[in-house]
Amino acid sequence: QTALIQKALGSGKLERNHHGAEEAPRGTTSFAVPLIASGKSVGCLYLDGQNSRFQPDSTDLMFLNALATQLAIALDRAELSVSWIREKDQESRQLREEVRELREAMNPHRPVFASAQMQEQMALIERIAPSEATVLIIGESGTGKEMLAHSVHEYSNRADQPFVTVDCGAISHSLLEAELFGHVKGAYTGAESASDGRIVQADGGTLFLDEIGELPLDVQAKLLRFVQEREIVPVGGTQSRKVDVRIVAATNRELKDEVARGSFRQDLYYRLQVVPVMAQPLRERPDDILPLATAFLDRFATQNNRSCDGFTRDAEAFLLQHHWPGNVRELQHAILRAVLLSDGSRIGADDIELLPEAEPNAFPIEQVDRAPVNEPQAPVATDSPDAGVATNMSSLRAELERQVAQALKDNARRPVPVGKWLQEDMVIALNAACGQVSRRAARVAGVPESTFRRQLDKARGDAEAGLAVRTEAWVVMGRILRDLANASTEEDGVPLLDAVRAALLEVVLEQSSNRNSVGAALMGVSPPTFKRWLEGRAA
């Protein structure tokens, strides 16, 4: 049998053996018909029988050949189907793995660490996350407090529910209550429709109150009631509403000192610090520097379609030697700059450009953030929102002169795009000052609502993607823009975005020595656009 089958497979045609009674019991006739499809053998059809009962004629042989052809086609298709399914399964597994890796690389809240300190911290978070206890995260600016808050949410039983962030320091105090608790229609001027508020948006999930030390005392009182009763009453409303929310708060202030100064309620402080978690500065956990840098490199290379194979040894040594006063945020921005500006496949020490550290008493982040309530934050930011547009514009002009001078000092040929930062932050500040009502904000800005929405979406998208890089001294500008936005109204009759851009343009022309390329870089636009602005200004 084996010999006859091999012969048929070799010849590619029907083969026959006939054995007489002297060779096999009672005599036997055997047939082997190869199954050929797509020019290859996929099997063999074998038949045999005793001569006395098995005597096929030419018609039977034609039938066997036809049957073999159909069987070959069927088997070939079955094999192709199995192969196709196998390939699709493999492609699907590979695609899922690539998507998983991509999500991990792009996830800005994925915890990356190697130090023993962070391992203990994450172990603590895993233990407390399944509970409903309120968590207070304390640490310097840029230490990754929001990442820890996300970890609390992800390890909790609410992981599949909303995670809502409220930056208490970025929202006007006059609008913060409505932002948190919502408002009814007509509750105040501009409340053209009802809003649920951030707490209701987080119903069933986690509410992250970032920079909670910035909350005004009247909002603290209302938040305390919510923490105790889990009920809210919207601004202008009379009916309370039950909301199931887990609260995680964060601050870079020493809340005990704020309580002693009377700027933070003691009862709210004790309600919030049920489980305190310390976010340690990066300088105290050097083992995390290179893992974090590598994670940032992978993310930013993917986002910007760059090919980066890692760091050179000199670059790694350079990263480990730096003190990182801006903590993880400073490291993140340094790696982003390196990815954008590097021309090689590996990031070298020369590609890592660190911003100069703030001089003492030159508006460092810690001094600005820790300034007592009702005291001026910095000499250039003493104006209040009630001081009027003209006064706030004066402060803006003075600060723009300082920012442009510093940008030219740091890099006279390729300064940072002060104009781009200014427009993005102005749009975000206007949106907050107008209670997230784009129509009102667009009227104050002096642009169509669709244009304002597009600019706002882009600014938010850059911030979420980690592309909103700013110098440490820019924090002062943020406060000035918030005051200016709060003081501006559509009745002023001055398109605010045009006025702000014009103020910067004057400063740039004064300090850039009529170099259009430098002026365009400072404004964050192309040289043709900058030239067009100059022509319009002259006209």
Side-chain angles (χ1 to χ4, degrees), residues 170-428:
I171 303 174
S172 169
H173 286 185
S174 61
L175 298 171
L176 193 52
E177 181 180 358
E179 185 74 12
L180 279 172
F181 300 96
H183 60 80
V184 299
K185 182 178 180 180
Y188 53 85
T189 303
E192 300 174 356
S193 61
S195 172
D196 287 336
R198 300 290 186 90
I199 293 178
V200 172
Q201 291 175 8
D203 194 10
T206 302
L207 178 70
F208 175 49
L209 299 174
D210 197 11
E211 301 303 340
I212 196 169
E214 300 284 347
L215 282 179
L217 286 170
D218 56 337
V219 179
Q220 291 180 31
K222 195 165 183 178
L223 180 64
L224 175 63
R225 175 174 174 78
F226 168 68
V227 173
Q228 293 173 334
E229 308 295 336
R230 288 297 191 268
E231 290 184 353
I232 64 169
V233 178
V235 176
T238 56
Q239 298 294 322
S240 63
R241 175 175 178 176
K242 282 280 187 182
V243 184
D244 176 25
V245 168
R246 198 282 183 70
I247 295 179
V248 178
T251 181
N252 62 2
R253 297 186 177 188
E254 189 61 63
L255 291 186
K256 288 183 179 179
D257 296 341
E258 301 298 322
V259 170
R261 280 195 287 263
S263 60
F264 200 86
R265 292 180 63 104
Q266 185 178 46
D267 44 8
L268 179 59
Y269 169 65
Y270 288 123
R271 285 284 183 178
L272 292 175
Q273 68 136 14
V274 176
V275 182
V277 175
M278 295 297 301
Q280 295 181 318
L282 189 56
R283 61 183 173 274
E284 295 181 6
R285 43 188 181 99
D287 291 344
D288 291 335
I289 294 176
L290 292 183
L292 282 168
T294 301
F296 291 143
L297 179 65
D298 292 342
R299 184 202 309 172
F300 295 137
T302 301
Q303 289 175 347
N304 296 280
N305 197 26
R306 298 293 182 93
S307 177
C308 297
D309 297 332
F311 299 96
T312 63
R313 291 187 176 181
D314 290 343
E316 292 179 349
F318 181 77
L319 292 171
L320 292 173
Q321 291 170 2
H322 187 57
H323 189 60
W324 300 113
N327 294 300
V328 179
R329 185 179 295 119
E330 182 187 3
L331 174 64
Q332 177 183 1
H333 293 168
I335 301 304
L336 174 58
R337 283 191 295 273
V339 170
L340 295 177
L341 302 178
S342 174
D343 296 325
S345 60
R346 294 175 69 82
I347 302 296
D350 294 339
D351 298 319
I352 304 173
E353 178 185 351
L354 298 176
L355 296 175
E357 296 186 24
E359 299 292 334
N361 300 321
F363 316 111
I365 287 180
E366 289 304 313
Q367 287 191 14
V368 172
D369 283 347
R370 295 177 183 271
V373 176
N374 299 326
E375 291 186 17
Q377 305 294 336
V380 298
T382 55
D383 300 317
S384 68
D386 299 329
V389 175
T391 305
N392 282 289
M393 284 296 294
S394 175
S395 294
L396 175 66
R397 165 83 187 214
E399 181 60 23
L400 285 174
E401 291 176 353
R402 191 175 77 90
Q403 294 285 343
V404 171
Q406 186 63 48
L408 291 172
K409 179 181 177 181
D410 294 340
N411 193 334
R413 297 181 60 187
R414 191 171 57 190
V416 295
V418 177
K420 179 176 180 293
W421 297 356
L422 184 66
Q423 175 169 314
E424 290 178 350
D425 291 1
M426 187 76 259
V427 166
I428 291 176

Side-chain angles (χ1 to χ4, degrees), residues 22-33:
E22 66 280 2
E23 298 176 86
R26 302 181 183 178
T28 301
T29 298
S30 304
F31 291 92
V33 187

